Structure formats: structure tokens, C-alpha cells
Amino acid sequence: MNLVKRNPEWFGPASVDAFFDRFFNDSLQEQKNGFSPKVDIAETASAFEIQVAVPGFSKSDFSIDLKDGKLSISGERKLEKENKEKNFISIQTEYGRFFKSFQLPENINEKGIEATYENGILALSIPKDETKKVESKIAVK
């Protein structure tokens, strides 16, 4: 039996939403050398929470930086070296580099940011600084 590899890129995105998501969120660099992991962002009364789905990484594969209110998360997952015992039929796991950045609001406690990695999820907790209120009234003219 011969298997023919099918590249879903040839047929275009599965939906219009996927097309626009890819168009606005994926850079050309990511398409060539990496991938774009899925991210969940939530807000609680005391913190912002970011969860990045990146299975198969180790903690040392990540780089997390905060500069001028911009949080940057990057990492790389390399494909295992050629293994003569394995004959891959299909590889759907994402490999390569990824980069995500988020502009954080002014009311955060930068020194209290914590990151954990467990069960393929990189979780960041960004506590709010209650002394810094981000509120403004806009008068209608």
C-alpha cells in the first residue's frame, strides 16, 4: 500500500475564520521556520493569566522577557534526529520556533510575574497592582 502525503496548505484554510486568523496572526517567519501555539488569556480580580499550549517542550526551552510593558514568550522544539528504526508515515506535531508578545496594561506588578510549565501548558500569572488604577473618564463634547 502506498501512502500519499497530503499537504493541507495546498487546499487552503478550512474556514474563513482560519484564513483571517492565519493572515493577521501568523508572520511569514512563523510559516517558514516555526509555528504559532494556541493561547488563552483570562482576567481575574487580582491577576491576568496567560496559558500557552506547547506540548513536548522542557522548561529550559522557553525564554520569557518583559521590557517596556511588553511581555515576550519564545521557544523552540527541535525534531528528533534521524532514527533508522522509525519510518514516519505522518508528522503532525509542530516543531520549530515560536514567538508571542503581549502588551500589558499599566496596572500590573512586574516583580510578581510567575511562570510554570506542566502537562504541556506554559502558564503565566501576572498579578495586578491595586495601587495603580487604570481608569479614565472621557467627557463627551
Side-chain angles (χ1 to χ4, degrees), residues 1-6 87-90:
M1 176 172 123
N2 290 333
L3 293 177
V4 177
K5 292 182 181 178
R6 178 182 166 268
N87 183 18
F88 285 104
I89 304 300
S90 173

Side-chain angles (χ1 to χ4, degrees), residues 48-67:
F48 295 97
E49 297 172 353
I50 299 175
Q51 293 186 340
V52 185
V54 281
F57 281 71
S58 63
K59 294 176 184 179
S60 62
D61 292 335
F62 299 109
S63 175
I64 303 170
D65 298 304
L66 179 64
K67 184 176 179 181

Side-chain angles (χ1 to χ4, degrees), residues 53-112:
V54 281
F57 281 71
S58 63
K59 294 176 184 179
S60 62
D61 292 335
F62 299 109
S63 175
I64 303 170
D65 298 304
L66 179 64
K67 184 176 179 181
D68 298 327
K70 187 176 182 180
L71 180 71
S72 299
I73 305 169
S74 62
E76 182 175 8
R77 182 172 177 213
K78 296 180 181 175
L79 183 61
E80 67 181 53
K81 299 292 182 195
E82 184 178 335
N83 186 339
K84 303 239 186 254
E85 297 174 13
K86 291 182 183 177
N87 183 18
F88 285 104
I89 304 300
S90 173
I91 297 177
Q92 295 184 356
T93 311
E94 295 177 304
Y95 291 92
R97 297 179 185 176
F98 77 90
F99 178 82
K100 294 281 188 180
S101 64
F102 307 91
Q103 185 65 45
L104 299 178
E106 293 179 13
N107 67 331
I108 62 160
N109 176 1
E110 294 179 358
K111 292 184 174 57

